[in-house]
Amino acid sequence: MNYTKEQILAYCNEFSKSTLMETLKIEYIDAGEDFLTAKMPVNSSVHQPMGLLHGGASVALAESVGSAASHFFINAKEQEVRGIEISANHLKSIREGVVFGTARIIHKGRSLHLWEIKITDEAGNLISLCKLTNIVLEKKKAE
């Protein structure tokens, strides 16, 4: 990676405007050579009917952070990233507070990136464990 932590976070937070990430109040807060972390508040806007964090909101956080992280391993002028598979194991419930999604690269190939995303609460308890596969595609040339 040829970006500073500050550049990565600024870029991720900027491209999240007017998207699902903004709707869910996902904010990118930390980055390093092999990881990217974002946080999301847990409140009624991301609850399922029983007042717990919705599994779909957890998966949205996981895919957001894992897909964003792949952007820093591609040539963005010529390539783009698409998530092609995501799986999640929801291990613990949470009603309120903040959750953190940290994506760590497992496999970085030319055309596939495999990420493990751990979603934890403020105390570091594992809430969900996710796996995301991204495909790297060549951008279509304008005709």
Side-chain angles (χ1 to χ4, degrees):
M1 257 194 261
N2 297 327
Y3 303 95
T4 67
K5 174 181 166 178
E6 292 75 20
Q7 289 172 318
I8 292 169
L9 299 177
Y11 177 80
C12 290
N13 285 314
E14 181 61 29
F15 77 54
S16 294
K17 291 183 178 175
S18 301
T19 67
L20 178 66
M21 286 82 76
E22 183 176 69
T23 300
L24 296 176
K25 298 185 177 17
I26 293 171
E27 179 186 357
Y28 295 88
I29 60 166
D30 198 9
E33 284 296 316
D34 68 342
F35 77 95
L36 180 63
T37 299
K39 69 178 183 176
M40 180 178 71
V42 179
N43 53 46
S44 62
S45 68
V46 294
H47 282 171
Q48 41 92 309
M50 293 177 12
L52 302 170
L53 175 62
H54 193 291
S58 296
V59 170
L61 172 60
E63 185 156 357
S64 297
V65 73
S67 292
S70 275
H71 281 92
F72 296 99
F73 294 127
I74 66 168
N75 177 343
K77 291 180 182 174
E78 298 176 9
Q79 299 172 308
E80 56 193 11
V81 173
R82 298 282 187 275
I84 59 171
E85 182 179 13
I86 190 163
S87 64
N89 293 97
H90 305 300
L91 306 169
K92 186 175 173 72
S93 58
I94 181 172
R95 292 184 182 277
E96 59 184 28
V98 176
V99 289
F100 302 88
T102 299
R104 291 194 183 277
I105 192 79
I106 295 172
H107 171 76
K108 182 177 68 171
R110 286 185 328 227
S111 60
L112 289 177
H113 296 169
L114 178 61
W115 294 92
E116 175 187 75
I117 303 99
K118 290 184 178 178
I119 299 176
T120 58
D121 64 14
E122 293 166 288
N125 297 308
L126 187 60
I127 304 299
S128 296
L129 181 61
C130 306
K131 184 178 72 171
L132 171 67
T133 305
N134 291 327
I135 189 167
V136 179
L137 301 170
E138 297 299 317
K139 284 187 177 178
K140 295 188 178 180
K141 307 276 191 245
E143 294 181 26

